[in-house]
Coordinates of all heavy atoms in Angstrom, one line a residue:
M108 N 106.4 93.6 121.5 CA 106.8 94.1 120.3 C 106.9 95.5 120.3 O 106.0 96.2 120.7 CB 105.7 93.6 119.3 CG 106.0 94.1 117.8 SD 104.8 93.3 116.8 CE 104.6 94.7 115.6
V109 N 108.0 96.0 119.8 CA 108.3 97.4 119.7 C 107.8 98.0 118.4 O 108.1 97.4 117.3 CB 109.9 97.7 119.9 CG1 110.1 99.2 119.7 CG2 110.3 97.2 121.3
R110 N 107.0 99.0 118.5 CA 106.5 99.7 117.2 C 107.5 100.8 116.8 O 107.8 101.6 117.7 CB 105.2 100.2 117.4 CG 104.2 99.1 117.7 CD 102.8 99.6 117.5 NE 102.5 99.8 116.1 CZ 101.3 100.0 115.7 NH1 100.3 100.1 116.5 NH2 101.0 100.2 114.4
L111 N 107.9 100.8 115.6 CA 108.6 101.9 115.1 C 107.8 103.2 115.0 O 106.6 103.1 114.7 CB 109.2 101.6 113.7 CG 110.1 100.4 113.6 CD1 110.4 100.1 112.1 CD2 111.4 100.7 114.4
P112 N 108.4 104.3 115.2 CA 107.6 105.6 115.0 C 107.1 105.7 113.7 O 107.8 105.3 112.7 CB 108.6 106.7 115.4 CG 109.8 106.0 116.0 CD 109.8 104.5 115.6
L113 N 106.0 106.3 113.6 CA 105.5 106.6 112.2 C 106.3 107.7 111.5 O 106.7 108.6 112.1 CB 104.0 107.0 112.3 CG 103.0 106.0 112.9 CD1 101.6 106.6 113.0 CD2 103.0 104.7 112.0
T114 N 106.3 107.5 110.2 CA 107.0 108.5 109.4 C 106.1 109.6 109.1 O 104.8 109.5 109.2 CB 107.5 107.9 108.0 OG1 106.3 107.5 107.3 CG2 108.4 106.7 108.2
P115 N 106.5 110.8 108.8 CA 105.6 111.9 108.4 C 104.7 111.5 107.3 O 103.5 111.9 107.5 CB 106.6 113.1 108.0 CG 107.8 112.8 108.8 CD 108.0 111.3 108.8
P116 N 105.0 110.8 106.2 CA 104.0 110.5 105.3 C 102.8 109.5 105.9 O 101.7 109.6 105.5 CB 104.8 109.7 104.2 CG 106.2 110.3 104.3 CD 106.3 110.5 105.8
E117 N 103.3 108.7 106.8 CA 102.3 107.8 107.4 C 101.3 108.6 108.3 O 100.1 108.4 108.3 CB 103.0 106.7 108.2 CG 103.6 105.7 107.4 CD 104.6 104.7 108.2 OE1 105.1 105.2 109.2 OE2 104.7 103.6 107.7
V118 N 101.8 109.6 109.0 CA 101.0 110.5 109.8 C 100.0 111.3 108.9 O 98.9 111.4 109.2 CB 101.9 111.5 110.6 CG1 101.0 112.5 111.3 CG2 102.7 110.7 111.7
E119 N 100.6 111.8 107.8 CA 99.7 112.5 106.9 C 98.6 111.6 106.3 O 97.5 112.0 106.1 CB 100.5 113.1 105.7 CG 101.4 114.2 106.1 CD 102.4 114.7 105.1 OE1 102.2 114.3 103.9 OE2 103.3 115.5 105.5
R120 N 99.0 110.3 106.0 CA 98.0 109.4 105.5 C 96.9 109.2 106.5 O 95.7 109.1 106.1 CB 98.7 108.1 105.1 CG 97.8 107.1 104.4 CD 98.5 105.9 103.9 NE 99.1 105.2 105.0 CZ 99.9 104.2 104.8 NH1 100.4 103.9 103.6 NH2 100.4 103.5 105.9
G121 N 97.3 109.0 107.8 CA 96.2 108.9 108.8 C 95.3 110.1 109.0 O 94.1 109.9 109.2
Q122 N 95.9 111.3 108.7 CA 95.0 112.5 108.8 C 94.1 112.5 107.6 O 92.9 112.9 107.7 CB 95.9 113.7 108.8 CG 96.7 113.8 110.1 CD 97.8 114.9 110.0 OE1 98.3 115.3 109.0 NE2 98.3 115.3 111.2
R123 N 94.6 112.1 106.4 CA 93.7 112.1 105.3 C 92.6 111.0 105.5 O 91.4 111.3 105.1 CB 94.5 111.7 104.0 CG 95.3 113.0 103.5 CD 95.9 112.6 102.1 NE 96.7 111.5 102.0 CZ 98.0 111.4 102.3 NH1 98.7 112.5 102.7 NH2 98.7 110.3 102.1
L124 N 92.9 109.9 106.1 CA 91.9 108.9 106.4 C 90.8 109.5 107.3 O 89.6 109.3 107.1 CB 92.5 107.7 107.0 CG 91.6 106.6 107.5 CD1 90.8 106.0 106.4 CD2 92.4 105.5 108.2
G125 N 91.2 110.1 108.4 CA 90.3 110.6 109.3 C 89.4 111.7 108.7 O 88.2 111.7 108.9
A126 N 90.0 112.6 107.8 CA 89.2 113.6 107.1 C 88.2 112.9 106.2 O 87.1 113.4 106.2 CB 90.1 114.6 106.4
L127 N 88.6 111.9 105.5 CA 87.6 111.2 104.6 C 86.5 110.6 105.4 O 85.3 110.8 105.0 CB 88.4 110.1 103.8 CG 87.6 109.1 103.0 CD1 87.0 109.9 101.9 CD2 88.4 108.0 102.5
L128 N 86.7 110.0 106.5 CA 85.7 109.3 107.3 C 84.8 110.4 107.9 O 83.5 110.2 107.9 CB 86.3 108.4 108.4 CG 87.1 107.3 107.8 CD1 87.7 106.5 109.0 CD2 86.2 106.3 107.0
R129 N 85.3 111.5 108.3 CA 84.4 112.6 108.8 C 83.5 113.1 107.8 O 82.4 113.3 107.9 CB 85.3 113.7 109.3 CG 85.8 113.5 110.7 CD 86.4 114.9 111.3 NE 87.3 115.6 110.4 CZ 88.6 115.3 110.4 NH1 89.1 114.3 111.1 NH2 89.4 115.9 109.6
R130 N 84.1 113.4 106.5 CA 83.3 113.8 105.4 C 82.2 112.8 105.1 O 81.0 113.1 104.8 CB 84.1 114.1 104.2 CG 84.9 115.3 104.2 CD 85.5 115.7 102.9 NE 86.2 114.7 102.2 CZ 87.5 114.3 102.3 NH1 88.3 115.0 103.1 NH2 88.0 113.3 101.6
A131 N 82.5 111.6 105.0 CA 81.6 110.5 104.7 C 80.5 110.3 105.7 O 79.4 110.0 105.4 CB 82.4 109.2 104.5
R132 N 80.9 110.5 107.0 CA 80.0 110.4 108.1 C 78.9 111.5 108.0 O 77.7 111.3 108.3 CB 80.6 110.6 109.4 CG 79.7 110.4 110.6 CD 80.5 110.2 111.9 NE 81.5 111.2 112.2 CZ 81.3 112.4 112.8 NH1 80.1 112.7 113.2 NH2 82.3 113.2 113.1
G133 N 79.2 112.7 107.5 CA 78.3 113.7 107.3 C 77.6 114.2 108.6 O 78.3 114.4 109.6
E134 N 76.3 114.2 108.5 CA 75.5 114.7 109.7 C 75.3 113.6 110.7 O 74.7 113.8 111.8 CB 74.2 115.3 109.3 CG 74.4 116.6 108.4 CD 75.1 117.7 109.1 OE1 74.7 118.0 110.3 OE2 75.9 118.3 108.5
R135 N 75.6 112.4 110.4 CA 75.4 111.2 111.3 C 76.3 111.3 112.5 O 77.5 111.8 112.4 CB 75.6 109.9 110.6 CG 74.5 109.6 109.5 CD 74.8 108.4 108.7 NE 74.7 107.2 109.5 CZ 75.1 106.0 109.1 NH1 75.5 105.8 107.9 NH2 74.9 105.0 109.8
S136 N 75.8 111.0 113.7 CA 76.7 111.1 114.8 C 77.8 110.1 114.9 O 77.7 109.0 114.3 CB 75.8 111.0 116.1 OG 75.4 109.6 116.4
M137 N 78.9 110.5 115.6 CA 80.0 109.6 115.7 C 79.5 108.3 116.5 O 79.9 107.1 116.1 CB 81.1 110.3 116.5 CG 82.4 109.6 116.5 SD 83.7 110.5 117.3 CE 84.0 111.8 116.1
L138 N 78.7 108.4 117.4 CA 78.2 107.3 118.2 C 77.4 106.3 117.3 O 77.6 105.2 117.4 CB 77.3 107.8 119.4 CG 76.6 106.7 120.3 CD1 77.7 105.8 120.9 CD2 75.8 107.3 121.3
E139 N 76.5 106.8 116.5 CA 75.7 106.0 115.6 C 76.7 105.2 114.6 O 76.5 104.0 114.5 CB 74.8 106.9 114.7 CG 74.0 106.1 113.7 CD 73.2 107.0 112.8 OE1 73.1 108.3 113.1 OE2 72.6 106.4 111.8
I140 N 77.7 105.8 114.1 CA 78.5 105.2 113.1 C 79.4 104.2 113.9 O 79.5 103.0 113.4 CB 79.5 106.2 112.4 CG1 78.7 107.1 111.6 CG2 80.6 105.5 111.6 CD1 77.8 106.6 110.5
A141 N 79.9 104.5 115.0 CA 80.7 103.6 115.8 C 79.9 102.3 116.2 O 80.4 101.2 116.1 CB 81.3 104.3 117.1
L142 N 78.6 102.5 116.7 CA 77.9 101.4 117.1 C 77.5 100.5 115.9 O 77.6 99.3 115.9 CB 76.6 101.8 117.8 CG 76.8 102.5 119.1 CD1 75.4 103.0 119.7 CD2 77.4 101.5 120.1
D143 N 77.2 101.1 114.7 CA 76.9 100.3 113.5 C 78.1 99.6 113.0 O 78.0 98.5 112.5 CB 76.3 101.3 112.5 CG 74.9 101.7 112.7 OD1 74.3 101.2 113.7 OD2 74.4 102.6 112.0
A144 N 79.3 100.1 113.2 CA 80.5 99.5 112.7 C 81.1 98.6 113.8 O 82.1 97.9 113.5 CB 81.6 100.5 112.4
R145 N 80.5 98.6 115.0 CA 80.9 97.7 116.0 C 82.3 98.1 116.5 O 83.2 97.1 116.8 CB 80.8 96.2 115.7 CG 79.3 95.9 115.3 CD 79.1 94.5 114.9 NE 79.0 93.5 116.0 CZ 78.0 93.3 116.9 NH1 77.0 94.0 116.8 NH2 78.1 92.3 117.8
V146 N 82.6 99.3 116.6 CA 83.9 99.8 117.1 C 83.5 100.8 118.3 O 82.4 101.3 118.3 CB 84.8 100.5 116.1 CG1 85.2 99.5 115.0 CG2 84.2 101.8 115.5
S147 N 84.4 101.1 119.1 CA 84.1 102.1 120.2 C 84.1 103.5 119.6 O 84.8 103.8 118.7 CB 85.2 101.9 121.4 OG 86.4 102.5 121.0
P148 N 83.2 104.3 120.2 CA 83.3 105.7 119.8 C 84.6 106.3 119.9 O 85.0 107.2 119.1 CB 82.2 106.4 120.7 CG 81.3 105.2 121.1 CD 82.2 104.0 121.2
E149 N 85.3 106.0 120.9 CA 86.7 106.5 121.2 C 87.6 106.2 120.1 O 88.4 106.9 119.6 CB 87.2 106.0 122.6 CG 88.6 106.6 123.0 CD 88.5 108.1 123.2 OE1 87.6 108.7 123.2 OE2 89.7 108.6 123.2
T150 N 87.5 104.9 119.6 CA 88.3 104.5 118.5 C 88.0 105.3 117.2 O 88.9 105.8 116.6 CB 88.1 103.0 118.2 OG1 88.6 102.2 119.3 CG2 88.9 102.5 116.9
L151 N 86.7 105.5 117.0 CA 86.3 106.2 115.8 C 86.8 107.7 115.9 O 87.3 108.3 115.0 CB 84.9 106.2 115.5 CG 84.3 107.0 114.4 CD1 85.0 106.6 113.1 CD2 82.8 106.9 114.3
R152 N 86.7 108.2 117.1 CA 87.1 109.6 117.4 C 88.7 109.8 117.1 O 89.1 110.7 116.5 CB 86.8 110.1 118.8 CG 87.1 111.6 119.1 CD 86.8 111.8 120.6 NE 87.7 111.3 121.4 CZ 89.1 111.6 121.6 NH1 89.5 112.6 120.9 NH2 89.8 111.0 122.5
K153 N 89.4 108.8 117.6 CA 90.9 108.8 117.4 C 91.3 108.7 115.9 O 92.1 109.4 115.4 CB 91.6 107.8 118.3 CG 91.5 108.1 119.7 CD 92.3 106.9 120.5 CE 92.3 107.3 122.0 NZ 92.8 106.2 122.8
I154 N 90.5 107.9 115.2 CA 90.8 107.7 113.8 C 90.5 108.9 113.1 O 91.2 109.5 112.2 CB 90.1 106.5 113.2 CG1 90.6 105.2 113.8 CG2 90.2 106.4 111.7 CD1 89.8 104.0 113.5
E155 N 89.3 109.5 113.3 CA 88.8 110.7 112.6 C 89.8 111.9 112.9 O 90.0 112.8 112.0 CB 87.4 111.1 113.0 CG 86.4 110.2 112.3 CD 85.0 110.7 112.4 OE1 84.8 111.8 113.1 OE2 84.1 110.1 111.9
S156 N 90.3 112.0 114.1 CA 91.2 113.1 114.5 C 92.6 112.9 114.0 O 93.5 113.8 114.1 CB 91.2 113.3 116.0 OG 91.8 112.2 116.7
G157 N 93.0 111.7 113.4 CA 94.3 111.4 113.0 C 95.2 110.9 114.1 O 96.4 110.7 113.8
R158 N 94.7 110.7 115.3 CA 95.6 110.2 116.4 C 95.9 108.8 116.2 O 96.9 108.3 116.8 CB 94.8 110.5 117.7 CG 94.8 112.0 118.1 CD 94.2 112.3 119.4 NE 94.9 111.4 120.5 CZ 94.2 111.0 121.5 NH1 92.9 111.3 121.7 NH2 94.8 110.3 122.5
V159 N 95.1 108.0 115.5 CA 95.4 106.6 115.2 C 95.7 106.6 113.7 O 94.8 106.5 112.9 CB 94.3 105.6 115.6 CG1 94.6 104.2 115.2 CG2 94.1 105.7 117.1
A160 N 96.9 106.7 113.3 CA 97.2 106.8 111.9 C 97.2 105.6 111.2 O 97.1 105.5 109.9 CB 98.6 107.5 111.7
T161 N 97.3 104.4 111.9 CA 97.4 103.1 111.2 C 96.4 102.1 111.9 O 96.8 101.1 112.5 CB 98.8 102.5 111.3 OG1 99.3 102.4 112.6 CG2 99.8 103.4 110.5
P162 N 95.1 102.4 111.8 CA 94.2 101.5 112.4 C 94.1 100.2 111.7 O 94.6 100.0 110.5 CB 92.8 102.3 112.2 CG 93.0 103.2 111.1 CD 94.5 103.6 111.1
A163 N 93.7 99.2 112.4 CA 93.5 97.8 111.8 C 92.6 97.8 110.6 O 91.6 98.4 110.5 CB 93.1 96.9 112.9
F164 N 93.0 97.0 109.7 CA 92.2 96.9 108.5 C 90.7 96.5 108.7 O 89.8 97.1 108.1 CB 92.7 95.8 107.5 CG 92.0 95.6 106.3 CD1 92.0 96.5 105.2 CD2 91.2 94.5 106.1 CE1 91.2 96.3 104.1 CE2 90.4 94.3 105.0 CZ 90.4 95.2 104.0
P165 N 90.4 95.5 109.6 CA 89.0 95.2 109.8 C 88.2 96.4 110.4 O 87.0 96.6 110.1 CB 88.9 94.0 110.8 CG 90.3 93.4 110.6 CD 91.3 94.6 110.3
T166 N 88.9 97.3 111.1 CA 88.2 98.5 111.7 C 87.9 99.4 110.5 O 86.7 99.9 110.5 CB 89.2 99.1 112.7 OG1 89.4 98.2 113.7 CG2 88.5 100.4 113.3
I167 N 88.9 99.7 109.7 CA 88.5 100.6 108.5 C 87.5 100.0 107.6 O 86.6 100.7 107.2 CB 89.8 100.9 107.7 CG1 90.8 101.7 108.7 CG2 89.6 101.7 106.5 CD1 90.2 102.9 109.3
A168 N 87.5 98.7 107.4 CA 86.6 98.0 106.5 C 85.2 98.2 107.0 O 84.3 98.5 106.3 CB 87.0 96.6 106.3
A169 N 85.1 98.0 108.4 CA 83.7 98.1 109.0 C 83.2 99.5 108.9 O 82.0 99.8 108.6 CB 83.8 97.6 110.4
I170 N 84.0 100.5 109.3 CA 83.6 101.9 109.2 C 83.3 102.4 107.9 O 82.2 103.0 107.5 CB 84.7 102.8 109.8 CG1 84.9 102.5 111.3 CG2 84.3 104.3 109.7 CD1 86.1 103.2 112.0
A171 N 84.1 102.0 106.9 CA 83.8 102.3 105.5 C 82.5 101.8 105.0 O 81.8 102.5 104.3 CB 85.0 101.8 104.6
D172 N 82.2 100.6 105.4 CA 80.9 99.9 105.0 C 79.8 100.7 105.5 O 78.8 101.0 104.8 CB 80.9 98.5 105.5 CG 79.7 97.8 105.0 OD1 79.3 97.8 103.8 OD2 79.0 97.2 105.9
V173 N 79.9 101.1 106.8 CA 78.7 101.8 107.4 C 78.5 103.3 106.8 O 77.4 103.6 106.6 CB 79.0 102.0 109.0 CG1 78.1 102.9 109.6 CG2 78.9 100.6 109.6
V174 N 79.6 103.9 106.4 CA 79.5 105.2 105.8 C 79.3 105.2 104.3 O 79.2 106.3 103.7 CB 80.6 106.2 106.3 CG1 80.6 106.4 107.8 CG2 81.9 105.7 105.8
G175 N 79.3 104.0 103.7 CA 79.1 103.9 102.3 C 80.3 104.1 101.4 O 80.1 104.6 100.3
L176 N 81.5 103.9 101.9 CA 82.7 104.1 101.1 C 83.2 102.7 100.7 O 83.2 101.7 101.5 CB 83.8 104.8 101.9 CG 83.6 106.2 102.3 CD1 84.7 106.6 103.2 CD2 83.6 107.1 101.0
S177 N 83.6 102.6 99.5 CA 84.3 101.4 99.0 C 85.7 101.5 99.5 O 86.3 102.5 99.8 CB 84.3 101.3 97.5 OG 85.2 102.2 96.9
L178 N 86.3 100.3 99.7 CA 87.7 100.3 100.2 C 88.6 100.8 99.1 O 89.7 101.4 99.4 CB 88.1 98.8 100.5 CG 87.4 98.3 101.8 CD1 87.8 96.9 102.0 CD2 87.7 99.2 103.0
D179 N 88.2 100.7 97.8 CA 89.0 101.3 96.7 C 89.1 102.8 96.9 O 90.1 103.4 96.7 CB 88.5 100.9 95.4 CG 88.7 99.5 94.9 OD1 89.6 98.9 95.5 OD2 87.9 99.0 94.1
A180 N 87.9 103.4 97.2 CA 87.8 104.8 97.4 C 88.7 105.3 98.6 O 89.5 106.3 98.6 CB 86.4 105.3 97.6
V181 N 88.7 104.5 99.7 CA 89.5 104.8 100.9 C 91.1 104.7 100.5 O 91.8 105.6 100.8 CB 89.1 103.8 102.0 CG1 90.2 104.0 103.2 CG2 87.7 104.0 102.5
W182 N 91.4 103.7 99.8 CA 92.8 103.4 99.4 C 93.3 104.7 98.5 O 94.4 105.2 98.8 CB 93.0 102.1 98.7 CG 94.4 101.9 98.3 CD1 94.9 101.9 97.1 CD2 95.4 101.5 99.2 NE1 96.3 101.5 97.2 CE2 96.6 101.4 98.4 CE3 95.5 101.3 100.6 CZ2 97.8 101.0 99.0 CZ3 96.8 101.1 101.2 CH2 97.9 100.9 100.3
A183 N 92.4 105.0 97.5 CA 92.8 106.1 96.6 C 93.0 107.4 97.4 O 93.9 108.2 97.2 CB 91.8 106.2 95.5
E184 N 92.1 107.6 98.3 CA 92.1 108.9 99.1 C 93.3 109.0 100.0 O 94.1 110.0 100.0 CB 90.9 109.1 100.0 CG 90.8 110.3 100.8 CD 90.6 111.6 100.1 OE1 90.1 111.5 98.9 OE2 90.9 112.7 100.6
I185 N 93.6 107.9 100.7 CA 94.6 108.0 101.7 C 96.0 108.0 101.1 O 97.0 108.3 101.7 CB 94.6 106.9 102.9 CG1 94.8 105.6 102.3 CG2 93.3 107.1 103.6 CD1 94.8 104.5 103.4
N186 N 96.1 107.6 99.9 CA 97.5 107.5 99.2 C 97.9 108.7 98.4 O 98.8 108.7 97.7 CB 97.6 106.2 98.4 CG 97.9 105.0 99.3 OD1 98.9 105.0 100.1 ND2 97.0 104.0 99.3
Q187 N 97.0 109.7 98.5 CA 97.3 111.0 97.8 C 98.2 111.7 98.6 O 97.9 112.0 99.8 CB 96.0 111.7 97.5 CG 95.1 111.1 96.5 CD 93.9 112.0 96.3 OE1 93.9 113.1 96.5 NE2 92.8 111.3 95.9
A188 N 99.3 112.3 98.0 CA 100.2 113.1 98.8 C 99.5 114.5 99.1 O 99.6 115.0 100.2 CB 101.5 113.4 98.1
K189 N 98.8 115.0 98.2 CA 98.0 116.2 98.3 C 96.8 116.1 97.5 O 96.7 115.3 96.6 CB 98.8 117.5 97.9 CG 100.1 117.7 98.7 CD 100.8 118.9 98.1 CE 102.1 119.1 98.9 NZ 102.9 120.1 98.4
R190 N 95.7 116.8 97.8 CA 94.6 116.9 97.0 C 94.9 117.2 95.6 O 95.7 118.1 95.3 CB 93.6 117.9 97.5 CG 92.8 117.5 98.7 CD 91.4 117.4 98.1 NE 90.5 116.8 99.0 CZ 90.0 115.6 98.9 NH1 90.3 114.9 97.9 NH2 89.1 115.1 99.7
G191 N 94.4 116.6 94.6 CA 94.5 116.7 93.3 C 95.7 116.1 92.6 O 95.9 116.2 91.5
V192 N 96.5 115.3 93.5 CA 97.6 114.6 93.0 C 97.2 113.1 92.8 O 96.4 112.6 93.6 CB 98.8 114.6 94.0 CG1 99.9 113.8 93.6 CG2 99.2 116.1 94.2
E193 N 97.6 112.5 91.7 CA 97.2 111.1 91.5 C 97.7 110.2 92.6 O 98.8 110.5 93.2 CB 97.9 110.7 90.2 CG 97.3 111.2 88.9 CD 95.8 110.8 88.8 OE1 95.5 109.6 88.9 OE2 95.0 111.7 88.5
P194 N 97.0 109.3 93.0 CA 97.4 108.3 94.1 C 98.8 107.7 93.7 O 99.0 107.4 92.5 CB 96.3 107.3 94.2 CG 95.1 107.9 93.6 CD 95.7 108.9 92.5
S195 N 99.6 107.4 94.7 CA 100.9 106.8 94.4 C 100.6 105.3 94.2 O 99.7 104.7 94.7 CB 101.8 107.1 95.5 OG 101.4 106.5 96.7
R196 N 101.6 104.7 93.5 CA 101.6 103.2 93.3 C 102.1 102.6 94.6 O 103.1 103.1 95.1 CB 102.4 102.8 92.2 CG 101.8 103.3 90.8 CD 102.7 103.2 89.6 NE 102.9 101.7 89.6 CZ 103.8 101.1 88.7 NH1 104.4 101.9 87.8 NH2 103.9 99.9 88.6
P197 N 101.5 101.6 95.1 CA 102.0 101.0 96.4 C 103.4 100.3 96.1 O 103.6 99.8 95.1 CB 101.0 99.9 96.6 CG 100.2 99.6 95.4 CD 100.4 100.9 94.5
D198 N 104.2 100.4 97.2 CA 105.5 99.7 97.1 C 105.3 98.3 97.7 O 105.1 98.2 98.9 CB 106.4 100.5 98.0 CG 107.8 99.9 98.0 OD1 108.0 98.8 97.4 OD2 108.7 100.5 98.6
H199 N 105.3 97.3 96.9 CA 104.9 96.0 97.3 C 106.1 95.4 98.2 O 105.8 94.4 98.8 CB 104.7 95.1 96.1 CG 103.5 95.5 95.3 ND1 102.3 95.3 95.8 CD2 103.3 96.1 94.2 CE1 101.4 95.8 95.0 NE2 102.0 96.3 93.9
N200 N 107.2 96.0 98.3 CA 108.3 95.5 99.2 C 108.2 96.2 100.5 O 108.9 95.7 101.4 CB 109.7 95.9 98.5 CG 109.8 95.1 97.3 OD1 109.4 93.9 97.1 ND2 110.4 95.7 96.2
A201 N 107.4 97.2 100.7 CA 107.3 98.0 102.0 C 106.4 97.2 102.9 O 105.3 96.6 102.4 CB 106.8 99.4 101.8
P202 N 106.5 97.3 104.2 CA 105.7 96.6 105.1 C 104.3 97.3 105.1 O 104.3 98.5 104.9 CB 106.3 96.7 106.5 CG 107.4 97.8 106.3 CD 107.7 97.8 104.8
D203 N 103.3 96.6 105.3 CA 101.9 97.1 105.3 C 101.5 97.7 106.7 O 101.3 97.0 107.5 CB 100.9 96.1 104.8 CG 99.5 96.7 104.7 OD1 99.3 97.9 104.9 OD2 98.6 95.9 104.6
R204 N 101.6 99.0 106.8 CA 101.3 99.7 108.1 C 99.9 99.8 108.4 O 99.5 100.0 109.5 CB 102.0 101.0 108.1 CG 103.5 101.1 107.9 CD 104.2 100.4 109.0 NE 104.0 101.2 110.3 CZ 105.0 101.7 111.0 NH1 106.2 101.6 110.6 NH2 104.7 102.3 112.1
L205 N 99.1 99.7 107.4 CA 97.6 99.9 107.6 C 97.0 98.7 108.4 O 96.1 98.8 109.1 CB 96.8 100.0 106.2 CG 95.4 100.3 106.3 CD1 95.2 101.7 107.0 CD2 94.8 100.3 104.9
A206 N 97.6 97.5 108.4 CA 97.1 96.3 108.9 C 97.4 96.1 110.4 O 97.3 95.1 111.0 CB 97.5 95.1 108.1
S207 N 98.1 97.2 111.0 CA 98.5 96.9 112.4 C 97.5 97.1 113.4 O 96.4 97.7 113.2 CB 99.7 97.8 112.7 OG 99.5 99.2 112.4

């Protein structure tokens, strides 16, 4: 299966996701969070750095649970174009890139 290149907004959304997870992790180590979420530390590092802009939903759900974030909070944060801007409404006709 050939994956289409990510659009700039998708890349930015991945960067916002990574920043949110880093903030929520706080002083806890990346290793501790990864082990508790049952993901590899390398996967968590790539997500937090924005290198994996569209991680699988179960991965994000597990990490969010471990760091104490609701999925509603994650969704609201990653869909903001910029800080202080209201989250955009989802386009129900667009393919869901978060679930890949």
